[in-house]
Amino acid sequence: MLPGPTSAHWQHIQATIADAYSHHGFDWLNLWQSLEHEQQQRLQKVLCLSDYVVDALPHQGEYFANALRTDTLSQPLKRDDIRQWLNEFSQDAKTDDDWHAALRHLRRRAMVHIIWRDLLRLGNTLDTTRVLSELADECVCRSLDFLATDLIARHGNPLSKESGEEQQMLVLGMGKLGAYELNLSSDIDLIFTYPDSGDTSGPKVISNQEYFVKLGQKLIQALDKQTVDGFVFRTDMRLRPYGQSGPLVMNFSSLENYYESQGRDWERYAMVKARVMNGETSPAAKELLSILRPFTYRVYVDYSAFASLRSMKDMINAEVRRRGLQDNVKLGSGGIREVEFIVQAFQLIRGGQDRLLQTRELCRVLDILAAEGYLPIEACEQLRSAYLFLRDSEHAIQALADEQTQQLPQNELDQARIAWAMNCSDWPTYLQQLSTHRQNVSHHFAQIVANDEDSGQDSSALNHAWLDLWHGELTGAAADEFLAEHPCANAKEVQDKLSTFRESRAVLNMQQVGRERLEELMPLLLQKLWLQTAPLTTLERLIPLLEAVLRRTAYLVLLKENPQALKQLVRLCNASSWVAEYITQTPLLLDELLDVTSLYRLPSATELREELHLRLLRIDPDDLEQQMEQLRQFVRAHKLRAAACEVMEALTLMQVSDYLTWLAEVTLTTVMNLAWQQMVDKYGYPTDANNDAVAEPEFLILGYGKVGGLEISYSSDLDLVFIHNGIAGKATNGERSLDNGVFYTRMGQRMVHILTTQTRSGDLYEVDLRLRPSGNSGMIVTSLKAFSEYQEKHAWTWEHQALVRARILCGQAALAAATKKVREGILSRPRNIPALREEVRAMRQKMRDNLGSKDTSGQQFHLKQDAGGIVDIEFLVQYGVLAWSHQHPALLAVTDNMRLLDAFAQVGLMNPQDRQTLQETYLSYRAETHRRALQKQSLLLDYDTQSRLGFDVRRSDVIRLWKLWLEADI
């Protein structure tokens, strides 16, 4: 008898599969009746548990009919079987498309075999993971051989410059693939490399680098491309050096230099399982492994691995909270990832001294840990048992529909199917077993990897007076003593605010568990509040945040169990209303408060790139929605850190501005690479004059305004211009081919979509493209030729002013050099000085009239737009560059106002005292705009504020110098 709701599902399957078989010319009923009873039972179970098998059987109906009758599906699948099937499917293959079809037919047949044996428990977990990995090996190795044939015919064999020997591309299988541990719906993580630089032998000679990039692109398409027959393996290249922004292929020397100078801890973890898929016995493979081993395994006992693993686990825990992945058997607490972390900790710490630990397969390493006494035998047995149960659960989930997920299902039918696949009588029984295993893993993880200082706060130690204050019950002698120490704590305003919040519908409607968590947190929060300079104001700022997290009570737990995080939250909200509102809008930012050291230490641009790369690595490369969410969370987290440093005066204004600018640049580079990859996946690669695929985007982002001048603040929009240098008249090489120019235009549109779309976490940045040639009526992406022609013949003076601050943010190096040359050529043209002054003055006056305070009494001063304000200094600098850069090329080397003022003094255009006056004034003005932004205050200053800040004097200085430079002819 079929369990639970699977009976109705079986009726549906019979109708579905009969129709599908009929469509392919086969009689399902005849096949079913030809099977023996036990064969029918096995088939029924597999079909009930896997929609993928239901869909796959009719596509190779005759083969699977024979396999069912002869019980071939129940026999172990060997690498030789896979090889023979691929020979069968590819015997007539002549083109890449033919090969793609053969691989996909192979995958369908092999996957049915593998799922059949796994769901019926005819093989163990490791049998399943091994054969899946061998399927990937066969597909990769055979594809390299087939796809190289066409390249060799066109370009000849790649040869070493040093030895003249023929070169081969080696493919590193990373992660689960490297350890023969693939799951049913795994993507495969690959790194491409080759031994030596050099050129091909001809007829059409290209460099080895170009040759192997072309081969790598062909291999990715063969495996990853979605066709009418599906795909083979989702292929992820993000583990290569420099991630998506790095070259697709690197030679051994470049690879070694990268790992020696820039390799990160997480890359060491990735390398633990790295395997050369096309053989490890060749001299080249042995050389490659000899390069990677010293990077992966230290010769000394490396205890730093624990801290790094904790850091990675903290990032994953934050992601679990953000994305609600508690029911994920891989990432959730006690999941597969924690078992892997435990094992990798020992491998990385002691693997350099104990070569046994350099074994790739996790279960074998657990055996070694037990045998060598690194871990108790019982602990290893529990971890092994949990790992196999979790991996079986993962396979059962993925067998449902061949989807890359480890999330437990929410609907009753799929829950019943998972329980059946796991040989459990029902879903509660399965959950009980799962819970036991996850608790065991969590226990051992805490013992081995977790921080010894991780501990919650004992609620029994709470000060009852604060609890009474929260409840509005602070009375009697105890109250008198308490209020003597905290005089305003029981004021009517405080009680009114606490009472309104306590009796609000949101609080009253909380479930019991959530209410208990709030009760535990509030006394701690109030106690921290009254250590601040403005507790009542801070309370007003915090209540909206508390309201925002009432339904996500995990954050209440986070604050209650992490006193440092609670302390930082209260301090920051006391210091800035903007910070309080920012966290309220995105409560997941509370995770950033857990590590005080990182909160008040801003990373370098390199560290920013590294962190963003790591964040995106954990997301399916095809999941644009999650990529966009992660980008927004990344940017918001780092803006919060910048604000924390500024309000606590840990960094200067210029340091914060530089950091926010780096953040924008790193984000834009990533967005550009994501958009490029998505466009290539859809339309193929743009082609060059020789019809060869272009391996990197001939594209760049030119930043204007604040981002160009390294002066970004927290709410700055980005003034951008997109430029491409694709060959006109050529098209992409995909099935859905596009003209190169159209390709780059759509790529630009995709970038704007990624940057500006409102998601749960808001937008990424506001983007202003109006400075592009012809403004809003112009193309979103302009060619270099069109950009140059517009600037030369059609641009207004104010557009050349804007070009003073234009800076290349990211993009192709050759195109960047050409764009830099265009910019310098335009700015250094000799100009009619009186006419230039008049045009600059007229534009400035227009801005004052439209955007200034319009106050004629001198009582009010708009810090940015009024005479003597920020924009006067900016216009003065821009005028100087346009007027004199033809005589002084040093003025073209920088784009920010501070260094341009330095340049004016260095070349003799401005005396040092005036330079210093303008720089100090500019910094003072900008610092005040930042302070006001963080307190959500207007830039309109009254007379008393001007005097208090000394801005009345500074304003007069700016007006004096404005007249000296721009009104000398009036």
Side-chain angles (χ1 to χ4, degrees):
M1 183 176 176
L2 298 177
T6 56
S7 296
H9 183 59
W10 171 241
Q11 300 304 317
H12 170 71
I13 289 170
Q14 286 181 301
T16 300
I17 202 166
D19 288 345
Y21 256 76
S22 176
H23 179 73
H24 287 83
F26 297 100
D27 186 340
W28 166 256
L29 185 59
N30 181 57
L31 170 60
W32 177 259
Q33 292 175 344
S34 70
L35 300 176
E36 295 178 3
H37 178 67
E38 288 186 4
Q39 292 174 324
Q40 289 179 344
Q41 284 188 312
R42 287 196 293 268
L43 177 57
Q44 183 186 51
K45 180 174 183 177
V46 173
L47 294 180
C48 282
L49 297 181
S50 176
D51 298 338
Y52 174 81
V53 174
V54 173
D55 178 71
L57 288 184
H59 288 277
Q60 297 179 35
E62 185 174 349
Y63 170 82
F64 285 123
N66 291 331
L68 288 167
R69 293 188 184 106
T70 59
D71 286 332
T72 303
L73 291 175
S74 298
Q75 302 307 309
L77 185 59
K78 304 296 185 185
R79 179 77 176 263
D80 283 344
D81 299 322
I82 297 171
R83 185 176 297 115
Q84 290 169 15
W85 288 343
L86 186 51
N87 290 340
E88 172 192 335
F89 290 127
S90 66
Q91 59 185 347
D92 297 322
K94 294 182 172 56
T95 67
D96 287 0
D97 287 342
D98 294 337
W99 183 255
H100 295 174
L103 289 176
R104 283 149 182 78
H105 295 325
L106 168 68
R107 180 186 190 269
R108 183 179 288 122
R109 181 177 293 184
M111 287 296 289
V112 171
H113 272 261
I114 295 167
I115 292 172
W116 179 277
R117 284 179 48 80
D118 186 75
L119 292 178
L120 295 176
R121 296 294 181 261
L122 298 174
N124 63 39
T125 312
L126 300 184
D127 291 336
T128 299
T129 59
R130 179 82 187 194
V131 72
L132 284 163
S133 305
E134 289 182 342
L135 173 63
D137 283 9
E138 188 68 19
C139 290
V140 167
C141 295
R142 292 285 297 277
S143 292
L144 286 174
D145 294 340
F146 181 91
L147 299 170
T149 305
D150 177 59
L151 289 176
I152 291 171
R154 295 176 64 193
H155 303 291
N157 289 303
L159 304 175
S160 167
K161 182 191 297 185
E162 299 295 327
S163 67
E165 293 179 356
E166 184 178 331
Q167 303 286 289
Q168 299 291 332
M169 185 168 82
L170 276 64
V171 179
L172 278 171
M174 309 295 288
K176 289 183 172 63
L177 172 60
Y180 293 103
E181 293 170 350
L182 281 188
N183 59 51
L184 284 177
S185 296
S186 278
D187 57 1
I188 55 174
D189 295 292
L190 306 179
I191 294 177
F192 300 153
T193 184
Y194 62 97
D196 298 325
S197 59
D199 296 316
T200 61
S201 58
K204 184 180 178 183
V205 176
I206 58 175
S207 69
N208 287 354
Q209 177 71 17
E210 292 173 287
Y211 175 92
F212 287 120
V213 166
K214 291 177 187 290
L215 181 57
Q217 290 172 338
K218 281 175 166 281
L219 177 60
I220 292 168
Q221 286 227 321
L223 300 171
D224 191 86
K225 184 178 179 182
Q226 187 78 32
T227 73
V228 293
D229 297 307
F231 66 96
V232 187
F233 286 99
R234 302 173 189 88
T235 304
D236 195 335
M237 301 299 301
R238 294 176 295 173
L239 291 181
R240 69 185 188 268
Y242 306 106
Q244 283 183 310
S245 60
L248 188 64
V249 190
M250 294 176 77
N251 62 32
F252 285 4
S253 176
S254 299
L255 205 69
E256 184 172 21
N257 288 337
Y258 172 82
Y259 287 122
E260 281 185 355
S261 62
Q262 300 185 51
R264 304 290 187 263
D265 281 339
W266 68 265
E267 289 173 304
R268 289 180 61 206
Y269 311 145
M271 282 297 170
V272 166
K273 294 176 183 276
R275 175 172 59 85
V276 183
M277 296 177 70
N278 40 351
E280 296 191 329
T281 57
S282 69
K286 290 178 180 177
E287 181 184 354
L288 175 60
L289 293 174
S290 72
I291 291 170
L292 298 177
R293 281 198 185 100
F295 166 68
T296 309
Y297 298 105
R298 304 293 193 245
V299 294
Y300 49 84
V301 178
D302 182 16
Y303 286 106
S304 67
F306 278 132
S308 299
L309 284 165
R310 276 197 297 271
S311 176
M312 289 180 66
K313 182 59 181 171
D314 287 343
M315 289 178 66
I316 291 171
N317 286 344
E319 185 180 352
V320 168
R321 279 194 294 271
R322 290 167 186 154
R323 296 173 59 191
L325 301 179
Q326 288 82 0
D327 289 337
N328 189 296
V329 298
K330 177 181 178 182
L331 298 178
S333 176
I336 296 167
R337 182 60 56 85
E338 288 190 359
V339 183
E340 293 172 339
F341 274 13
I342 291 169
V343 171
Q344 285 180 317
F346 283 99
Q347 290 183 281
L348 292 174
I349 291 164
R350 297 191 176 275
Q353 295 190 328
D354 188 343
R355 290 184 66 86
L356 284 174
L357 291 174
Q358 295 182 18
T359 303
R360 297 180 179 112
E361 297 90 331
L362 184 144
C363 286
R364 288 182 58 193
V365 179
L366 280 174
D367 292 341
I368 293 167
L369 294 176
E372 299 298 316
Y374 290 116
L375 269 178
I377 293 174
E378 181 183 4
C380 290
E381 288 176 348
Q382 287 183 346
L383 288 170
R384 181 188 181 92
S385 177
Y387 177 74
L388 296 177
F389 185 90
L390 291 164
R391 291 302 305 270
D392 285 341
S393 297
E394 176 184 48
H395 290 160
I397 293 168
Q398 294 175 346
L400 293 174
D402 190 26
E403 292 179 350
Q404 190 181 8
T405 178
Q406 288 89 11
Q407 196 76 2
L408 293 175
Q410 299 301 309
N411 66 79
E412 186 181 357
L413 172 61
D414 287 345
Q415 289 175 348
R417 296 160 85 188
I418 298 299
W420 190 10
M422 295 297 293
N423 293 325
C424 294
S425 57
D426 52 30
W427 183 246
T429 302
Y430 166 74
L431 288 181
Q432 180 58 50
Q433 293 184 23
L434 176 65
S435 177
T436 299
H437 286 300
R438 290 177 68 168
Q439 287 173 13
N440 287 339
V441 172
S442 292
H443 169 74
H444 294 300
F445 181 82
Q447 295 296 311
I448 296 165
V449 180
N451 195 330
D452 291 337
E453 298 174 2
D454 289 347
S455 62
Q457 180 165 331
D458 184 1
S459 60
S460 65
L462 291 176
N463 186 323
H464 288 288
W466 293 109
L467 188 60
D468 290 341
L469 175 64
W470 160 236
H471 289 154
E473 299 171 351
L474 192 60
T475 58
D480 295 337
E481 184 179 338
F482 175 78
L483 291 173
E485 193 172 344
H486 307 284
C488 10
N490 209 25
K492 184 175 185 304
E493 286 179 288
V494 175
Q495 279 302 319
D496 287 347
K497 292 188 183 305
L498 289 176
S499 175
T500 301
F501 174 54
R502 189 177 62 244
E503 296 171 13
S504 65
R505 179 173 297 181
V507 171
L508 294 176
N509 289 341
M510 292 180 75
Q511 295 181 357
Q512 182 178 350
V513 172
R515 185 61 188 262
E516 289 172 356
R517 291 173 174 176
L518 182 64
E519 289 291 307
E520 291 173 342
L521 171 65
M522 286 305 296
L524 299 173
L525 176 65
L526 292 171
Q527 190 172 16
K528 293 280 193 299
L529 263 177
W530 259 264
L531 297 175
Q532 305 305 311
T533 56
L536 180 59
T537 301
T538 308
L539 177 62
E540 291 174 344
R541 296 170 180 175
L542 278 167
I543 285 176
L545 170 59
L546 292 170
E547 291 172 339
V549 299
L550 288 180
R551 291 189 177 183
R552 287 176 279 185
T553 57
Y555 287 113
L556 300 178
V557 176
L558 181 151
L559 292 171
K560 183 258 177 183
E561 294 189 352
N562 293 276
Q564 273 295 339
L566 181 60
K567 178 182 177 181
Q568 299 312 315
L569 174 66
V570 174
R571 285 183 69 202
L572 291 172
C573 291
N574 178 72
S576 168
S577 59
W578 181 89
V579 169
E581 188 173 308
Y582 198 60
I583 298 175
T584 299
Q585 291 169 352
T586 314
L588 59 86
L589 292 175
L590 291 169
D591 287 314
E592 301 302 316
L593 307 179
L594 291 170
D595 186 348
V596 179
T597 305
S598 65
L599 179 64
Y600 296 110
R601 187 198 73 83
L602 299 185
S604 66
T606 300
E607 290 170 320
L608 282 171
R609 280 193 293 272
E610 187 69 26
E611 181 188 333
L612 182 54
H613 179 57
L614 268 174
R615 282 175 175 253
L616 293 176
L617 268 180
R618 296 194 300 275
I619 298 173
D620 184 336
D622 296 327
D623 191 343
L624 177 60
E625 180 181 351
Q626 279 301 322
Q627 288 171 336
M628 289 169 63
E629 274 296 305
Q630 195 62 250
L631 284 165
R632 282 151 177 76
Q633 291 164 11
F634 169 76
V635 168
R636 284 178 172 269
H638 284 281
K639 282 186 178 180
L640 174 64
R641 289 168 67 171
C645 289
E646 186 164 5
V647 299
M648 293 301 165
E649 300 181 350
L651 291 176
T652 66
L653 167 70
M654 291 188 67
Q655 288 173 314
V656 170
S657 288
D658 284 349
Y659 178 71
L660 292 173
T661 304
W662 298 339
L663 177 63
E665 290 176 11
V666 167
T667 304
L668 286 169
T669 302
T670 300
V671 168
M672 183 183 73
N673 289 329
L674 287 174
W676 162 258
Q677 193 58 56
Q678 290 162 14
M679 291 294 295
V680 166
D681 290 345
K682 195 169 184 180
Y683 301 108
Y685 290 90
T687 55
D688 60 18
N690 297 316
N691 291 323
D692 289 331
V694 174
E696 62 173 339
E698 297 172 301
F699 188 98
L700 66 73
I701 303 176
L702 191 61
Y704 284 74
K706 284 188 170 64
V707 69
L710 299 130
E711 294 175 357
I712 285 187
S713 61
Y714 302 103
S715 56
S716 295
D717 60 3
L718 302 182
D719 294 298
L720 307 176
V721 170
F722 299 149
I723 301 175
H724 82 87
N725 202 24
I727 299 295
K730 295 295 182 179
T732 61
N733 62 4
E735 290 181 5
R736 300 171 62 185
S737 183
L738 287 179
D739 173 83
N740 281 352
V742 175
F743 174 93
Y744 284 117
T745 296
R746 293 193 183 176
M747 177 176 160
Q749 291 170 334
R750 176 56 60 95
M751 290 171 62
V752 172
H753 171 77
I754 294 172
L755 288 164
T756 62
T757 296
Q758 290 286 336
T759 72
R760 292 190 304 275
S761 299
D763 62 7
L764 194 49
Y765 286 99
E766 289 186 32
V767 174
D768 191 337
L769 300 177
R770 290 176 295 176
L771 287 173
R772 68 186 187 271
S774 302
N776 282 338
S777 61
M779 298 288 288
I780 283 183
V781 181
T782 184
S783 69
L784 176 64
K785 180 181 177 182
F787 176 78
S788 176
E789 183 176 316
Y790 179 83
Q791 292 291 343
E792 185 72 35
K793 299 178 180 179
H794 306 294
W796 297 84
T797 296
W798 67 265
E799 291 176 288
H800 287 170
Q801 283 182 247
L803 199 61
V804 169
R805 302 180 80 181
R807 184 171 60 88
I808 294 155
L809 305 181
C810 60
Q812 187 195 46
L815 178 55
T819 303
K820 179 173 179 284
K821 187 175 180 181
V822 170
R823 174 185 176 272
E824 292 176 351
I826 295 298
L827 293 180
S828 60
R829 290 193 318 195
R831 289 173 170 82
N832 181 309
I833 300 300
L836 176 63
R837 282 176 178 160
E838 177 58 35
E839 289 186 71
V840 173
R841 285 198 306 262
M843 175 56 69
R844 181 68 189 101
Q845 189 59 49
K846 184 178 180 180
M847 292 179 68
R848 287 175 188 156
D849 293 343
N850 289 314
L851 302 171
S853 68
K854 303 178 180 60
D855 176 66
T856 57
S857 66
Q859 294 300 304
Q860 290 189 318
F861 172 44
H862 193 286
L863 191 53
K864 183 175 180 182
Q865 295 294 347
D866 276 351
I870 290 173
V871 178
D872 272 10
I873 300 174
E874 293 173 344
F875 267 52
L876 186 151
V877 169
Q878 292 161 13
Y879 162 76
V881 173
L882 294 179
W884 294 303
S885 61
H886 68 287
Q887 295 176 340
H888 303 290
L891 302 182
L892 302 173
V894 294
T895 61
D896 62 288
N897 290 313
M898 296 296 289
R899 286 188 295 171
L900 281 169
L901 288 168
D902 282 334
F904 287 162
Q906 288 164 5
V907 300
L909 292 172
M910 182 179 285
N911 71 58
Q913 182 58 51
D914 288 344
R915 183 273 319 271
Q916 182 178 348
T917 296
L918 284 178
Q919 286 183 328
E920 289 177 353
T921 300
Y922 192 64
L923 282 179
S924 297
Y925 282 175
R926 286 192 57 228
E928 184 62 20
T929 64
H930 272 237
R931 279 192 291 272
R932 289 180 168 268
L934 289 171
Q935 299 301 338
K936 299 183 70 63
Q937 295 174 345
S938 166
L939 294 182
L940 200 61
L941 278 59
D942 59 30
Y943 182 78
D944 289 342
T945 303
Q946 294 176 58
S947 299
R948 177 172 56 81
L949 296 172
F951 284 2
D952 49 350
V953 176
R954 293 194 182 281
R955 184 181 184 188
S956 297
D957 287 335
V958 174
I959 291 173
R960 174 180 61 81
L961 289 167
W962 172 270
K963 290 178 177 179
L964 177 66
W965 276 50
L966 282 132
E967 296 181 7
D969 55 347
I970 295 178

